[in-house]
Every structure is written in C-alpha cells, then in structure tokens.
Amino acid sequence: MVGIGALAAGAALAACDESLPSEGATARETEPNAAKPAPTPASDELGNQATEYSAATTFNNYYEFTTSKEGVARLAYQFEPSPWSLQVGGLVEKPAVFTPDDLAAFGQEERVYRMRCVEGWSMVIPWLGFPLARLLERVEPASEAKFVRFETVYRPEQMDEQSRGRFEWPYVEGLRIDEARNDLTLLASGMYGKALPVQNGAPVRLVVPWKYGFKSIKSVVSIELVADQPTTFWMALAPDEYGFYANVNPDVPHPRWSQASERRIGEPGRRDTLMFNGYADQVATMYAGMDLAVYY
Amino acid sequence: MHKDKRVLLVTHTVGLAPAVTLGILHARGALGADPVGALVRASGRWALTFLMISLLPSAVSVLTGWKGMLRARRWLGLYGFGYALAHLALLVGLDYAFRMDLFWRALREGPAMWVGLFALALLLPLAFTSTDGWVRRLGPDWKRLHRLVYPAVVLAIIHYAAVFKELRPGPVLLVIVLVVLETARAVAEPRARARRRRHRLDVKGGRARGAMSVGVGGSRARSLKSPRYQRVRMRWAFVTSLLLLSTLLYFVSLETWAYWALLLTAVFVGWWIKV
Ligand code: HEM
C-alpha cells in the first residue's frame, strides 16, 4: 500500500507540479491544486487527445482475467497488487529485487503514447513511468545479454482465466536489448496522473508504444536478460500469426485481417495506421535492413 | 388467434428483440467504451444465431413429425440475413464511416472478411426467393436451392472463428451444435421418409383424406399413437429446441435482461400454441 501511495505521490508531482502531500494514502486521491488552472487533457506530440479515462479503464485486453475486453475491469477487484516485488536477473552483473518504492525512486515522468491493439483499435494514454533503460543500467547487463525476457505474475486464485486450462501461463514477452534500451520503452506504474488500475497492469507494466499492445506486458514480476530470443506467449500460441517483433506496420497484414487502419476508441470513423505507430523517427533505425514482413 | 398468426407473432418477437434491445442500449450509452465495435459484433452474432435457428424447423419436423415450426422457417432465415446485412452496413457506415479506400483494403487483406462476404453472398439468392411466389415458381428446386443455407452457415462459423486472435469456444460450440443437429436429422431421415411414403400410399389407396383428419385413423394413428401424446411430444420438441437455442444464445451473445424477458415470453407463448 505504502509503495503504491509513494508512486502515486510521484505521479501527482509529475502531473500537477505540486509539492508532495505528507501522507501517501491521500496522495492517490489528490486533485489538482485549485489555485492553478486545471491541467488541459493530455495530448500526444501529434496533437491527439488522450482517450477518456473511463474508456481506458473499462475496455482492454488482459487475458489473465478474461478474453472479454469489457470483462477485465469487472474481474479486477479480485487482484491484490501489493505487496509486490520485481526480480531482475539473468545475464547481469548486479541482479536485484525491486519493490514499488524502489521503482518510484527511478523517477516518474508523464509520457502520452498511442496504444495500437493488434485487433485493430487504438487509444491515447498518458502513462507515468521511467525508461526501462535506467533500470537496465542499474543491473549492468553482461555482454552476452542480447534479449530481455519479461514475465507476468501467475496467480490463478486471483485471475480467472489463469485458473482455466486454455492458455499456457505465465504470460511471457520479450524485447531485443536495443529495443529495451530505447528511450520510448517505459516501465509504467501509473496513468492519467494516478496509480495504475489493476485492469491496466498494476502495479508495474511495460509500455512499448511502437509495437502492438500485447508486447506491453502487464503486472511484471520478472525481467531476465538472456542470450537467445525468448518465445513469447503469443508466439507459442500461433507462431505464424504473432512474431517476436510485432511492430505496428500498416503494410504487413495479420494473416486474417488488415492492419492498415484502426478504430480510435472515442472517435467516430477510422484512422490510417501509422508505420511504427507514428514513432518511426525514434525506432526505424533499429530495423534497418530487416525485412519486416519476415520479422513480423 | 389463428395458429399461423401465433407462430409468426413469436417469430417476429424473437426476431426483433435483439435489434430493439441493442437500439435501447445504444441510445442509453450502455454499450461500453467501443459502441461501434459492440454493434458490429452483436449484429454479427445475431446473424449467425438466427441462421442456426433457421436450421431447426426442418430438423424438428424430421425428428418428431411436427411441422408447426416450418411456418417460421423463412422468417428466421430472413432475420439471419437481415442481421448480416445490418452487420455489414454498421461496419461500412459506422466503423469505416464510408472510408471506402480503407474498407476495400481491409477486404483485400483480410481473409476473415472474405469468408463473411462469401457467406452473405450465398444468402442473397435465398433471401430473394423467400416469398410465396418464388416457392411456387421454383417448386422442388426451391428446396434444393435453399440447401445453400448449410454452406452459408459453415462459412459464417469459419468467419466467426477467424475474427479472433485465437480459437474461441463460441465457434467450436456452434460446430458441435450443428454436428449434433444434422447427425440426429440424418439418423431420423429414413424413418421420416417411410412415414411420408406410407401416408402417400394411404391416400392413393383410396382412403378419403377426410377420414384421416376426422378420426384418428390412417397412418397418423399407427405412427404417433394418440393425439394427446402427439401434442405433448410436439410441445416438448418446441420447448427443448428453444432451450437448446437459449444455451446457444448464452454462449454467443451478451445481451441484457430485456432480451431474456422477451425470449422467455416467446417460450411461454410457444408452449400454448395449439398445434
Ligand atoms: C452471413 C454473414 C455474416 C455473419 C453470420 C457474420 C458473423 C459474425 C460474427 C459472429 C462475428 C463475431 C462477433 C463477435 O466478436 O463476437 C463477426 C465479426 C466480424 N465480421 Fe462478420 N458476419 C457476416 C458477414 C460479414 C461481412 C460481409 C463482413 C465484411 C465484409 C464481416 C466483417 C466482420 C468483422 C470486421 C468482424 C469483427 C468485428 C470486430 O471484432 O470489431 N462480416 N461476424
């Protein structure tokens, strides 16, 4: 509880530029200071307004709970996000275990990112977090470390779908180490100036905005530096359909549907999907010379 | 009320209930964060549900000899077609907002969509020839043409399975229901044919039609015992099939209490239909 309170206090700091409230628990509820103008709703660098908070917290995929996007928020109350510990190990010089308080000490900044789901819908979400690169720097990856493997918590008694046999748990994701070190890659513990709701991956999740949403693994308990490319949850389920890279790419359709456009939640009509979800300037060089239809 | 009218009343109540329920939910803003997606998905599920229901009357008539539901068959099929058209219209008009460049590209690059479109194309001639006039004009060909509903349903189930990231229980369940239903029909078919042949022989053999319907004489009495027994059996066929279908609906859709209230009313009205 204290950990999350502290995170949220950091969040309030970043979002409203206020002084730190004295008590962690009240910080979660803190409204912007009445003396200052209310902050305008966040928008991304392209001028896209952030999605309504109520939409971002009631419509999302989190298969550990259910495969229904409307159903996740309804089941989230069963989950207890604290206490929490995040193990960081594998091919590193200084393996470590981080609590939410430790993570808060890395600093919290607001980043408004577009989130594009592989199913063809999207949102714009103001995250609170810090670049994963900072955490990696702390544990000092060995030179053999080429990939980063992430794992979600396994708690079948608190997460409905995990207690059934349909999928291979726990959820696993992975990044190439240069992707993990990219400044866009965020370890987030809040959104919309508040602590992360359970349905959105409390207490700590990854955000990789130029890749399809399923790469942004939630409720992370383990980060491991490895030499070989990890097999992710979706790769294991259907290797021909979901690759390791999963970069947003309007020109590489899913085998069963087009990825050329998306429905932005809260907006009428459709938008053209942007290459690398609009982050090509920051990420395209990492894939220079690669055939993105092969490395999908 | 005339029994035909009662069957039609039930059919139209069941047929329009989803549209009305969805309309109310949409007007109240109760379709969640993605109302457009919710409408496209719901109309697709209802299309498939009604197409599946439209297969029941002939199966029930083969299995039990009860022909009451056959009166509803064409309407059930038309509701399936109607919801499929609405599904496409909502997709093009609301989701794609008539951005036809994007829609054509989605169609070109999406096998999931081709399969849906193919299913809809198969239904087109069926909907067109669903009037009494066409039934008369086509004669025995009508029945043969309308067997196209089976490939259409199979394609629709494939389409349903294909729009999700992974294999869902919904389409698998529908395949199971379809296989059970058609296997039962195939098993019962020879007996039903024998029943019909006996009936024809009786008529040819000089027995007056009147005699058959007045008394309990002729082949009817031999194959189905007493009229009371027959009535109970028919009612059970009706109610069991509706229960089977509600189970189906439960898995396939997520509409609210309003829909269930209407459906249950229809079941109770159905029980009291004089067959
Ligand atoms: C007989 C015709 C059709 C039937 C029975 C049908 C049925 C369905 C069903 C059951 C779903 C899944 C709903 C869910 O998510 O639970 C669906 C989804 C979908 N259908 Fe169809 N469909 C038909 C025709 C079409 C056509 C012609 C198109 C477009 C060309 C189409 C495009 C789609 C799309 C894009 C989805 C995914 C919607 C979403 O997830 O947002 N369908 N359909």
Side-chain angles (χ1 to χ4, degrees), chain A residues 263, chain B residues 37 40-41 44-45 47-48 51 84 87-88 91 103 107 113 116-117 119-120 123 156 159-160 163-164 252:
Chain A
R263 189 164 69 247
Chain B
V40 173
R41 287 188 287 271
R45 284 193 307 267
L48 188 47
L51 291 178
H87 179 58
L88 181 61
L91 189 72
F103 182 72
L107 206 56
M113 275 204 194
L117 204 63
L120 191 63
L123 293 179
H159 164 70
Y160 179 27
V163 299
F164 298 113
V252 186

Side-chain angles (χ1 to χ4, degrees), chain A residues 69 119 263 270, chain B residues 34 36-38 40-49 51 80-81 83-85 87-88 91-92 95-96 103 107 112-121 123 152-153 155-157 159-161 163-164 168 174 252-254:
Chain A
K69 288 182 279 295
E119 297 168 351
R263 189 164 69 247
R270 288 233 152 202
Chain B
D34 181 24
V36 173
V40 173
R41 287 188 287 271
S43 54
R45 284 193 307 267
W46 285 114
L48 188 47
T49 307
L51 291 178
F81 176 72
Y83 281 102
L85 267 192
H87 179 58
L88 181 61
L91 189 72
V92 174
D95 187 352
Y96 283 83
F103 182 72
L107 206 56
M113 275 204 194
W114 310 338
V115 180
L117 204 63
F118 200 29
L120 191 63
L123 293 179
V153 165
L155 285 172
I157 297 178
H159 164 70
Y160 179 27
V163 299
F164 298 113
R168 291 278 170 109
L174 292 191
V252 186
S253 29
L254 31 92

